[in-house]
Amino acid sequence: MLDWLLQKLPAAQREKAHDILVLTRMDRPIGALLLLWPTWWALWLAAGDFPPWKPLLIFTLGVFAMRAAGCAINDYADRKLDPQVARTAGRPLAAGRITPREALIVFVSLLALAFVLVLFTNALTIKLSFVGAALAALYPFTKRYTDLPQVVLGAAFGWSIPMAFAAVQNTVPAVGWVLFIANILWSVIYDTEYAMVDRDEDLKAGARSTAILFGDADLMIIGVLMGTFLTAMVMVGTRAHLGWPYWLAVALAAGLFGWQQWLIRNRARDACLAAFRHNNWLGLTLWIGIALALALR
């Protein structure tokens, strides 16, 4: 797909453009989707139905810009770690096809684009955006100083939730903060599954993660987090007075979590990666439940 999009560029520019798109994971949209679904959950709940087109467009574009920016700064922070891990050694920055300076330029440019989008909202949303930018920049460096970088990732990925409520309602109600906490729990679940793929190599390289912290209790702790996340989503549904489509979606989400537990039962790398990617369907299912419950009121 990337080659098709870039086919009309001169050869020299095409190669660099391709590396920049790979740096920002434009070839792997799963990360953007995991950021998109909670943002859409928040927009629909804040609006009480289909959200206004302006915030919907701003936040949808902002999701892709911020996720791309996060990938650029992540690879910059991991530029000495990634070459030691088989799955990441071929990334443009780790392989030397992109320089650290170029990665920083990409990060700042995308951050500026996201901020321009936010300027079309309101004062509260603009103020909250500074926290979101700080979280996005901070996350990649937490792998060296804490065993809980996935919690920081969850806060960074979920900060679009209070921003979405602020953009639509000019305030962040209690249900918005409950949804934010729920998203942190969900992010720890799927990013722990993701970190389980590289756990052995991360240990050797000196990186830290919840997958390493949880050790052989990982499946049990992930199960507890899944139950806590579902409880938080029940609280969201009751506070927002959502109808049966939402509760059906929550039940389906519980089933999808069960399937993920089955996938990772032997901690096989490919199975853990499949479980991580499977969360896209969980996010989509919950969004459909929210959208239908609000539409059928």
Side-chain angles (χ1 to χ4, degrees):
M1 176 61 75
L2 294 185
D3 291 335
W4 178 79
L5 289 172
L6 301 173
Q7 62 183 335
K8 293 186 178 181
L9 288 178
Q13 296 177 13
R14 187 188 314 137
E15 185 176 347
K16 180 61 72 173
H18 184 276
D19 286 335
I20 289 174
L21 291 175
V22 173
L23 171 75
T24 54
R25 311 290 195 277
M26 291 301 178
D27 58 330
R28 298 182 179 182
I30 179 63
L33 292 172
L34 292 174
L35 178 54
L36 178 68
W37 299 129
T39 304
W40 279 14
W41 300 346
L43 284 170
W44 259 258
L45 287 169
D49 200 349
F50 197 98
W53 282 105
K54 182 180 174 181
L56 178 60
L57 181 61
I58 288 171
F59 277 86
T60 301
L61 292 175
V63 159
F64 288 91
M66 285 303 297
R67 191 262 178 160
C71 291
I73 195 64
N74 180 78
D75 283 11
Y76 174 81
D78 290 348
R79 62 192 183 280
K80 295 180 180 178
L81 174 65
D82 282 348
Q84 304 177 56
V85 179
R87 185 180 54 82
T88 59
R91 288 178 176 174
L93 189 53
R97 300 193 305 274
I98 292 284
T99 67
R101 181 174 179 272
E102 288 171 332
L104 285 176
I105 291 172
V106 170
F107 169 68
V108 172
S109 300
L110 288 166
L111 211 59
L113 171 61
F115 185 66
V116 169
L117 290 170
V118 172
L119 290 177
F120 290 95
T121 58
N122 55 37
L124 177 58
T125 311
I126 293 169
K127 291 175 183 176
L128 289 172
S129 72
F130 288 101
V131 178
L135 288 169
L138 175 66
Y139 159 68
F141 299 95
T142 58
K143 302 172 190 176
R144 287 148 186 78
Y145 305 107
T146 174
D147 293 316
L148 299 169
Q150 281 71 25
V151 175
V152 183
L153 174 73
F157 264 35
W159 198 249
S160 60
I161 292 171
M163 287 180 63
F165 275 95
V168 175
Q169 298 185 0
N170 201 28
T171 188
V172 185
V175 69
W177 294 114
V178 174
L179 191 63
F180 173 67
I181 293 169
N183 185 73
I184 292 178
L185 293 166
W186 185 39
S187 298
V188 174
I189 292 164
Y190 65 65
D191 207 52
T192 300
E193 293 171 343
Y194 189 66
M196 288 168 70
V197 177
D198 300 324
R199 178 159 43 192
D200 294 339
E201 291 169 300
D202 283 346
L203 276 167
K204 293 176 183 177
R208 300 164 78 171
S209 71
T210 47
I212 294 171
L213 176 65
F214 297 163
D216 59 6
D218 49 5
L219 302 186
M220 180 186 69
I221 295 174
I222 289 172
V224 171
L225 289 170
M226 288 173 170
T228 309
F229 167 77
L230 291 171
T231 301
M233 295 307 289
V234 166
M235 293 174 64
V236 169
T238 54
R239 282 181 171 272
H241 308 290
L242 299 178
W244 68 264
Y246 177 74
W247 300 112
L248 176 59
V250 171
L252 290 173
L256 293 173
F257 272 151
W259 175 243
Q260 288 177 32
Q261 281 282 357
W262 175 257
L263 285 175
I264 65 176
R265 68 193 185 283
N266 296 319
R267 301 176 176 85
R269 288 191 173 198
D270 289 346
C272 291
L273 188 59
F276 160 73
R277 291 172 174 163
H278 189 261
N279 282 279
N280 173 51
W281 301 110
L282 190 144
L284 171 62
T285 297
L286 288 172
W287 171 70
I288 291 174
I290 291 170
L292 287 177
L294 292 171
L296 294 176
R297 273 182 170 174

